[in-house]
Amino acid sequence: MTRAEPTMGELSARDHAFYGLIWAGTTLAAHVDRALMRAHELPLSWFEVMLWLNGQTEPVPASALGAKTLLSRPQVSRVVDALQARGLVARTPAPHDARSVEIALTPEGLAAFAEANATRRAALADVFDQRLDDADIDALETVWAKLKA
Amino acid sequence: MTRAEPTMGELSARDHAFYGLIWAGTTLAAHVDRALMRAHELPLSWFEVMLWLNGQTEPVPASALGAKTLLSRPQVSRVVDALQARGLVARTPAPHDARSVEIALTPEGLAAFAEANATRRAALADVFDQRLDDADIDALETVWAKLKA
DNA sequence: ACGACTTCTGTGCACGCGCACGCAACCCGA
DNA sequence: TCGGGTTGCGTGCGCGTGCACAGAAGTCGT
């Protein structure tokens, strides 16, 4: 029973947008992470690695995941360790570079990702579909594209 | 020198929006956090507490911060410890409830917040102003408002 | 007035994560 | 060929954070 209801002081529209982005991002991440954990004992960080591995036809060097993912390169190493321990990904030495390691989803990993992705879509639908229309989705995509540059 | 450039597999617009939100949120948070750390040795989590305290005229119970903030209640306790150690906030027992604690910015805390908020705005301008127009800002605000409900 | 249930706060514990570092392997100029 | 610089990967370490819990204090029914 909170007595006083704090509200942010007078802030500009840009300030609201900044805080809203961080709030929405972390809240969504937590929501999806819990859903994945409950359904498959699968942290969101593991899922993200599998997500990037999914679209690929050829194996991917670990450095590429470190660059594209939100995770740091060391963390990629540990996540791959865990996924490998569960047989979801395979580490293979790179053909012409003995220090590099190529990573690819195993068939089991591909199946696990398909299931996990389904639960992610479901968890996302709970929050997105009922509240955001196509215009909002488009706006989000364009904002993301502009920020990436 | 990454050889293979991984790209996400074919995903729907909603999937892109989901990933984009999380990416933008964490990236922005990291950017601002670094700026605050460099300039004032002030983590973003501390700043957020001060942000909520700023607009308030009356002291705020700790539970209210735990509810409104992205931090958990235990973490609020620790952050307030740190801020109190620097003399930026003051803990005072609540008038008619001995278990509750009311928190308020000290004059030093108010000044520190003003400076920190300025550097935040500057760090944000580096990323926002040059890339996003007013329509994008408005879109972000409406999306945030819809998701909060 | 007294006991059981709720509410508010702060702490032990474990986990995820990034930074700094070490090591192995490649590259390139002498 | 060989030595210095660079790149890629994995590990020790410390920090921030959330969960589960304990303790104090308020509330309400009897």
Side-chain angles (χ1 to χ4, degrees):
Chain A
M1 204 63 71
T2 62
R3 210 62 45 81
E5 281 283 337
T7 54
M8 299 195 310
E10 69 298 326
L11 285 94
S12 72
R14 279 184 169 73
D15 295 337
H16 272 102
F18 154 73
Y19 194 86
L21 256 183
I22 297 181
W23 182 90
T26 58
T27 303
L28 263 178
H31 180 66
V32 173
D33 184 81
R34 288 178 188 280
L36 289 175
M37 285 292 291
R38 276 194 236 276
H40 309 285
E41 312 260 345
L42 199 114
L44 184 57
S45 55
W46 300 15
F47 178 82
E48 197 196 355
V49 171
M50 296 173 74
L51 174 66
W52 284 103
L53 258 45
N54 179 38
Q56 249 48 33
T57 60
E58 300 177 357
V60 174
S63 59
L65 278 80
K68 291 291 179 180
T69 315
L70 288 170
L71 288 66
S72 64
R73 222 179 13 79
Q75 190 61 16
V76 168
S77 199
R78 284 187 256 260
V79 170
V80 171
D81 282 346
L83 289 172
Q84 191 177 20
R86 292 201 181 183
L88 301 180
V89 302
R91 257 196 260 242
T92 50
H96 286 354
D97 194 338
R99 37 188 192 158
S100 185
V101 176
E102 293 187 339
I103 303 162
L105 283 173
T106 62
E108 297 88 355
L110 194 68
F113 172 76
E115 297 180 14
N117 201 21
T119 66
R120 177 193 65 87
R121 281 209 170 91
L124 214 60
D126 296 342
V127 184
F128 263 39
D129 292 349
Q130 301 293 338
R131 313 187 189 191
L132 267 55
D133 52 21
D134 292 349
D136 297 326
I137 303 290
D138 290 343
L140 252 49
E141 273 197 89
T142 59
V143 167
W144 180 28
K146 289 183 181 180
L147 288 180
K148 264 195 305 186
Chain B
M1 204 65 69
T2 61
R3 210 62 45 82
E5 281 285 336
T7 54
M8 299 196 310
E10 70 299 326
L11 285 94
S12 72
R14 279 184 169 73
D15 295 337
H16 272 103
F18 154 74
Y19 194 86
L21 256 182
I22 297 182
W23 182 90
T26 59
T27 303
L28 263 178
H31 180 66
V32 174
D33 184 80
R34 288 176 188 280
L36 289 174
M37 284 292 291
R38 276 194 238 276
H40 309 286
E41 312 259 346
L42 199 113
L44 183 59
S45 56
W46 300 16
F47 177 83
E48 197 197 355
V49 171
M50 297 173 74
L51 173 66
W52 284 103
L53 257 45
N54 179 38
Q56 247 50 34
T57 60
E58 300 177 357
V60 175
S63 60
L65 279 81
K68 291 291 179 181
T69 316
L70 288 170
L71 288 67
S72 63
R73 260 186 318 96
Q75 190 60 17
V76 168
S77 199
R78 284 187 258 260
V79 169
V80 171
D81 281 346
L83 289 173
Q84 192 177 19
R86 292 202 182 181
L88 302 180
V89 303
R91 255 195 260 242
T92 51
H96 284 354
D97 194 339
R99 46 196 182 149
S100 186
V101 177
E102 293 189 338
I103 303 161
L105 283 173
T106 62
E108 298 89 354
L110 195 66
F113 173 76
E115 297 180 15
N117 202 20
T119 65
R120 178 193 65 88
R121 279 210 171 90
L124 215 59
D126 295 342
V127 184
F128 264 39
D129 291 348
Q130 301 293 338
R131 313 187 188 190
L132 267 54
D133 52 20
D134 292 349
D136 296 326
I137 303 290
D138 289 343
L140 252 48
E141 272 197 89
T142 58
V143 167
W144 181 28
K146 289 183 181 179
L147 288 179
K148 265 195 305 186

